[in-house]
Amino acid sequence: MRSWNVPALPSLPGSAPLPTLHDTATGSKHVTDVSRGGQLYVCGITPYDATHLGHASTYLAFDTLGRIWRDAGVEVTYVQNTTDVDDPLLERARDTGVDWRELAASQTDLFRSDMEHLGVIPPDHFVAVTDVVDDVARSVSALLESSFAYRVDTPDSSAGDDVYFDVDRAGQETLWHLGIESRLDPETMMRFFRERGGDPDRDGKRNALDPLLWRAARDGEPSWPTVLGEGRPGWHIECTVIALEHLSLPLSVNGGGSDLIFPHHEMSAGHGTALTGETFSSLYAHAGMVAYEGEKMSKSLGNLVKVSELVASGVDPRAVRLALLQHHYRSDWEWFDDDVTASIARITHWVAWAADATPGAEATPLVAALRDALADDLDTPNAVAAVERAVVEDVPPTSVDVDAVHALLGIDLRA
Ligand code: 5CA
Ligand code: ZN
């Protein structure tokens, strides 16, 4: 599906280091594996409400990764999904009397315009789940044939049975096992599985943690005719199938917010390995959760600060971007309404500083400082501090400094 417009991206002189990133699966920092280019899959939105600052913050983290990879000469292939058919979206559509397709389309549009306002480099492949239902069904059939999936009696569907992934069998017969990515203990896995869309109490499952791969059609729910009969995809398999379609394994980075560590990324990885025999991703990166009014900002709680509303109220989107970049992507943090006021003032100072730039052709100490900070696990607070120091100390900028703030932090001080 259509993504959004590519922002201007100046190229910088000199050489940039390859970034290291914290890997959830090992708990330590590694240099990202870009031997086959930057193969980046980041989980996209479930489009039933506008982009809030939590989503924006997560996408800015991976946008930063894409920017420093490109600066280091890496060819990047970036893939992102939208979960445009799923229970919470269908519920919201029902509750508000809006057709689910219209709800998804309108919120995806708003997401595109939010990302464009924030200067986020779009994915090369932006894929709606409703466009890959057949591919998912074929992959689930393959998992049934290889006995990594099984059917569970589904009396409330006249279209066949639901299909589940057999975590124990995959754990015994493939390179994947439960815990390989999340490193969680069984109790925590169970708690997250229940809280995050799993159904541990479903009768007929082999392991309570087996996730749904395919949901047979129910009355009043959207469904598609496929090799498995009428139905729709389970959640984790959508990301596996979309990643396999456009990227080569192992991915360089599989990313998203930390609420996706378990079960989502663990199970997506399991499905991928069961389908291909290969390791799914060489690194799993997760952004911290943004809170507002004391709780995780979430569509289900409704405590949202929306990018679109800030922009509509006249806030410079560069100030929103800067306010988000001031937090380290891995930390959990809380948004306060004042944050953006401070960033607006900061952008004004930075713009005035940049206006005096003299032509330059060489990488400067500031460019080196930005590259070093960002290559060290995307340390955007340190990078922002380096620019702030140059502005406060009135270090005369060159055009390369201004380009570097644009290319690496995504903030165009000439606009
Ligand atoms: N469609 C699925 C992924 S396949 C999904 O999680 N959608 S979402 O709309 O709920 O979230 C989109 C992205 O934003 C995910 O990477 C999620 O981890 C991240 N996210 C959600 N809430 C927050 C938050 N409060 N702070 C930071 N990131 C968040
Ligand atoms: Zn996903």
Side-chain angles (χ1 to χ4, degrees):
M1 111 184 122
R2 185 172 63 80
S3 59
W4 57 90
N5 291 323
V6 183
L9 186 67
S11 61
L12 304 174
S15 63
L18 275 179
T20 57
L21 215 53
H22 183 271
D23 178 15
T24 304
T26 60
S28 57
K29 281 194 263 183
H30 306 291
V31 178
T32 52
D33 174 10
V34 290
S35 48
R36 291 160 300 106
Q39 305 275 318
L40 176 62
Y41 185 90
V42 177
C43 285
I45 56 161
T46 305
Y48 69 91
D49 219 327
T51 323
H52 60 64
L53 293 180
H55 304 138
S57 173
T58 289
Y59 297 117
L60 282 189
F62 295 100
D63 185 56
T64 304
L65 174 63
R67 285 169 182 277
I68 57 177
W69 266 345
R70 287 177 179 91
D71 181 40
V74 175
E75 179 98 15
V76 180
T77 310
Y78 181 17
V79 182
Q80 190 180 122
N81 68 313
T82 60
T83 307
D84 65 341
V85 56
D86 196 17
D87 296 338
L89 183 139
L90 298 174
E91 272 161 36
R92 176 65 62 90
R94 229 180 351 254
D95 292 351
T96 52
V98 178
D99 181 84
W100 66 273
R101 291 176 210 83
E102 274 169 36
L103 177 62
S106 66
Q107 298 309 306
T108 305
D109 259 346
L110 208 47
F111 176 71
R112 289 187 185 98
S113 91
D114 287 351
M115 291 296 104
E116 208 166 305
H117 276 125
L118 291 175
V120 172
I121 300 172
D124 302 286
H125 303 278
F126 187 41
V127 183
V129 171
T130 52
D131 286 334
V132 294
V133 174
D134 270 334
D135 312 74
V136 170
R138 275 197 299 276
S139 294
V140 174
S141 287
L143 290 171
L144 280 166
E145 269 162 38
S146 55
S147 302
F148 289 120
Y150 63 95
R151 296 178 205 276
V152 168
D153 187 34
T154 309
D156 55 335
S157 172
S158 51
D161 287 331
D162 294 342
V163 181
Y164 283 80
F165 184 63
D166 188 331
V167 293
D168 292 323
R169 193 177 150 97
Q172 282 149 15
E173 297 190 12
T174 73
L175 297 169
W176 175 90
H177 58 84
L178 265 186
I180 194 170
E181 173 264 345
S182 68
R183 296 181 300 135
L184 293 172
D185 59 76
E187 290 73 33
T188 313
M189 283 185 192
M190 185 57 85
R191 180 160 61 81
F192 285 160
F193 189 78
R194 193 182 288 282
E195 285 171 11
R196 299 173 179 170
D199 53 357
D201 305 323
R202 170 82 188 254
D203 284 341
K205 290 208 295 180
R206 295 176 185 167
N207 183 322
L209 292 176
D210 287 348
L212 179 74
L213 287 166
W214 183 257
R215 181 169 163 87
R218 309 293 204 276
D219 285 347
E221 287 186 14
S223 63
W224 289 259
T226 69
V227 291
L228 291 171
E230 286 271 341
R232 63 178 161 102
W235 176 26
H236 321 301
I237 187 73
E238 75 187 47
C239 287
T240 311
V241 168
I242 293 169
L244 288 178
E245 217 145 276
H246 298 287
L247 296 165
S248 66
L249 299 195
L251 308 178
S252 308
V253 174
N254 185 21
S258 60
D259 56 346
L260 300 184
I261 293 174
F262 193 89
H264 185 55
H265 285 169
E266 188 117 290
M267 300 304 183
S268 298
H271 302 342
T273 299
L275 281 165
T276 64
E278 290 181 62
T279 297
F280 187 64
S281 184
S282 51
L283 196 151
Y284 296 87
H286 292 101
M289 289 292 111
V290 180
Y292 186 55
E293 295 173 336
E295 294 207 68
K296 174 189 161 186
M297 202 180 277
S298 79
K299 289 179 287 215
S300 50
L301 292 174
N303 57 336
L304 308 181
V305 180
K306 296 179 187 172
V307 175
S308 51
E309 287 177 0
L310 284 174
V311 173
S313 73
V315 173
D316 182 340
R318 294 176 298 180
V320 180
R321 184 165 178 125
L322 181 57
L324 297 174
L325 292 177
Q326 281 178 59
H327 298 273
H328 192 275
Y329 83 97
R330 282 206 291 126
S331 57
D332 294 329
W333 56 275
E334 178 159 359
W335 173 265
F336 295 101
D337 293 323
D338 283 356
D339 293 1
V340 77
T341 319
S343 290
I344 291 167
R346 194 168 258 195
I347 287 286
T348 309
H349 292 140
W350 287 20
V351 166
W353 170 78
D356 293 333
T358 52
E362 307 285 322
T364 62
L366 176 60
V367 175
L370 288 177
R371 281 175 165 155
D372 287 348
L374 297 175
D376 179 12
D377 198 21
L378 314 180
D379 193 343
T380 56
N382 211 349
V384 168
V387 181
E388 182 67 8
R389 247 186 334 268
V391 173
V392 168
E393 292 169 9
D394 214 7
V395 178
T398 72
S399 55
V400 178
D401 290 318
V402 182
D403 281 348
V405 173
H406 191 178
L408 301 176
L409 294 179
I411 297 173
D412 181 2
L413 296 174
R414 296 187 182 95

